[in-house]
Amino acid sequence: MPSDVGVARRPCLYFTRLTVSEEGAYFPADAHARTQLISESRDIPAVAELLDGYRDILDVDLFDELSSFKSSRADKRAFETGIYAAAAYCFERSSGVSPTCLAFYSSGVAPALLFSGVVSPSTYLRELLPFHDRNRECYAASACKVRLAQVRLEGDRDEDVETFIAETIRKHAFERRVYLKDRRGLHTTLIGGEEKPVLLVREAVCERFPSVLRRGAVLRLNEASAHLPFYDTEPLLQILDGVRFSPPRFTLIGVAGERVPAGCGDQEILRKLVIEAAFGLLDTGRALRVAREGADELVIVGSRRGAYLLRRPNTDAFGSFSFAFAEAAPDAATARSRKRSTALESD
């Protein structure tokens, strides 16, 4: 049984971004949780299909990789995608409850698509994974051309920081240089873009709202320009040509709050959901509000690091959340490290 969650009446499963590149370990990092996941999910037919797909196409035993971390593949997010999906299947069977909807953040879209049945393991590994891999290469390369930064600007709950940010961007004609990368509520927004304009916007916001400065508003240099329009995405779209998406088993909530109902077979809608999760600006606050309309509990599939942004008071549509697989709380040193390492809050 999932160890940190009771049976929810109407749960929304939320897939965090993939964090193996930052953690240097797969979710779940806790050895007991890994053993539990492996032992309880192997006989689930959908998980067996998942394992067969990874074995046939990538020549990897997914659960052996979860335990050993020995694959020579440099980017291990493809493996963690399968692990997230297996964890969701395990939660579904162990809890006896099917989620009312699925939501996700950035790279969390891939396991959500697998679990919902929008793509099969074969379709993901042969057709969708090349799209995600190439996208990551492109946005990483773009950061070598433009010095990028981001900063979370968080004020008090009754302050409209977001509107002031938008006005400041317009005032200085920064529309193509600074972006509202993730709207998490009127009082909290993650902005990103060229370093100097981002710094100027940060200074203006901190001067106007002392509460933002009090919370740190730490400027972080980006190693990549994910979810920022600093690279050409048109060639990437061709990779998706010919991909056939299946109707989802559950309602899907996109990264900006788009709602795709269960059973939707519209290829354009499903394709756009995938594209926005890879390229689009984020609105986590709206996504959670939309999810809350049909769910009464948020259950996390993913790591504590990935769930960090949900702990902020600006994304409290659900008030609290649980983990499908609870991991042991990190020690003090690890917790401090995780708290500092937020530069890639969206990958």
Side-chain angles (χ1 to χ4, degrees):
M1 283 289 294
S3 54
D4 197 35
V5 62
V7 176
R9 185 168 57 89
R10 298 185 305 159
C12 171
L13 281 192
Y14 187 92
F15 293 79
T16 71
R17 76 184 194 281
L18 306 169
T19 57
V20 62
S21 297
E22 302 159 67
E23 301 269 35
Y26 294 118
F27 156 85
D30 181 76
H32 174 73
R34 286 199 303 269
T35 300
Q36 179 187 13
L37 171 58
I38 292 170
S39 64
E40 294 185 6
S41 64
R42 276 193 182 276
D43 64 339
I44 299 174
V47 175
E49 181 185 0
L50 193 67
L51 297 175
D52 287 344
Y54 275 83
R55 189 178 299 110
D56 294 344
I57 297 171
L58 295 187
D59 194 27
V60 166
D61 182 313
L62 189 62
F63 283 164
D64 180 59
E65 174 64 17
L66 171 59
S67 300
S68 66
F69 203 78
K70 67 182 181 181
S71 170
S72 60
R73 182 182 171 97
D75 189 338
K76 296 179 182 291
R77 282 174 285 194
F79 304 137
E80 193 164 54
T81 291
I83 294 164
Y84 274 30
Y89 282 118
C90 191
F91 168 81
E92 182 182 32
R93 186 175 72 171
S94 298
S95 68
V97 177
S98 291
T100 187
C101 64
L102 309 181
F104 47 84
Y105 191 90
S106 193
S107 55
V109 65
L113 294 175
L114 279 169
F115 175 64
S116 65
V118 172
V119 295
S120 66
S122 176
T123 298
Y124 166 65
L125 293 169
R126 296 186 189 279
E127 302 182 65
L128 195 56
L129 178 58
F131 167 73
H132 286 145
D133 282 347
R134 182 58 184 152
N135 180 45
R136 288 161 184 155
E137 292 172 3
C138 289
Y139 68 58
S142 69
C144 299
K145 302 173 184 178
V146 181
R147 190 172 173 86
L148 300 172
Q150 68 182 37
V151 59
R152 185 184 67 243
L153 300 172
E154 179 183 342
D156 290 336
R157 296 176 63 83
D158 60 349
E159 295 175 326
D160 187 353
V161 176
E162 179 185 304
T163 298
F164 182 80
I165 292 171
E167 292 173 349
T168 303
I169 290 173
R170 287 194 296 269
K171 175 183 176 181
H172 294 283
F174 286 160
E175 288 90 345
R176 294 181 179 273
R177 304 178 70 187
V178 180
Y179 296 88
L180 279 67
K181 185 172 179 177
D182 188 7
R183 301 168 186 248
R184 298 177 181 173
L186 287 177
H187 64 293
T188 303
T189 299
L190 180 72
I191 66 170
E194 297 177 22
E195 181 185 6
K196 289 185 178 179
V198 167
L199 182 58
L200 289 174
V201 173
R202 173 193 175 277
E203 290 175 348
V205 172
C206 288
E207 182 178 352
R208 172 65 178 80
F209 299 100
S211 57
V212 174
L213 182 61
R214 188 170 65 247
R215 290 183 172 87
V218 178
L219 189 77
R220 302 186 185 279
L221 296 181
N222 276 11
E223 298 174 1
S225 60
H227 298 285
L228 292 174
F230 288 99
Y231 62 105
D232 183 10
T233 59
E234 284 300 318
L236 298 175
L237 299 179
Q238 299 174 16
I239 302 176
L240 294 178
D241 291 346
V243 178
R244 183 72 185 175
F245 300 107
S246 299
R249 296 194 293 146
F250 314 102
T251 294
L252 300 174
I253 310 299
V255 294
E258 318 94 292
R259 185 180 183 276
V260 178
C264 174
D266 189 308
Q267 293 298 295
E268 285 303 311
I269 289 176
L270 294 170
R271 176 185 167 96
K272 184 176 180 182
L273 185 83
V274 172
I275 291 170
E276 290 301 311
F279 307 151
L281 296 173
L282 309 161
D283 193 335
T284 299
R286 180 170 181 266
L288 292 177
R289 291 193 297 273
V290 172
R292 185 65 180 88
E293 293 172 2
D296 53 25
E297 181 175 356
L298 194 66
V299 179
I300 306 300
V301 177
S303 68
R304 290 182 180 274
R305 181 191 291 268
Y308 175 78
L309 71 92
L310 298 176
R311 297 187 182 279
R312 309 305 305 178
N314 50 282
T315 52
D316 62 351
F318 285 86
S320 63
F321 59 85
S322 305
F323 284 89
F325 276 83
E327 302 180 75
D331 58 30
T334 302
R336 286 194 298 271
S337 174
R338 290 181 176 180
K339 186 174 182 180
R340 288 194 301 269
S341 183
T342 58
L344 296 179
E345 283 187 321
S346 57
D347 70 343

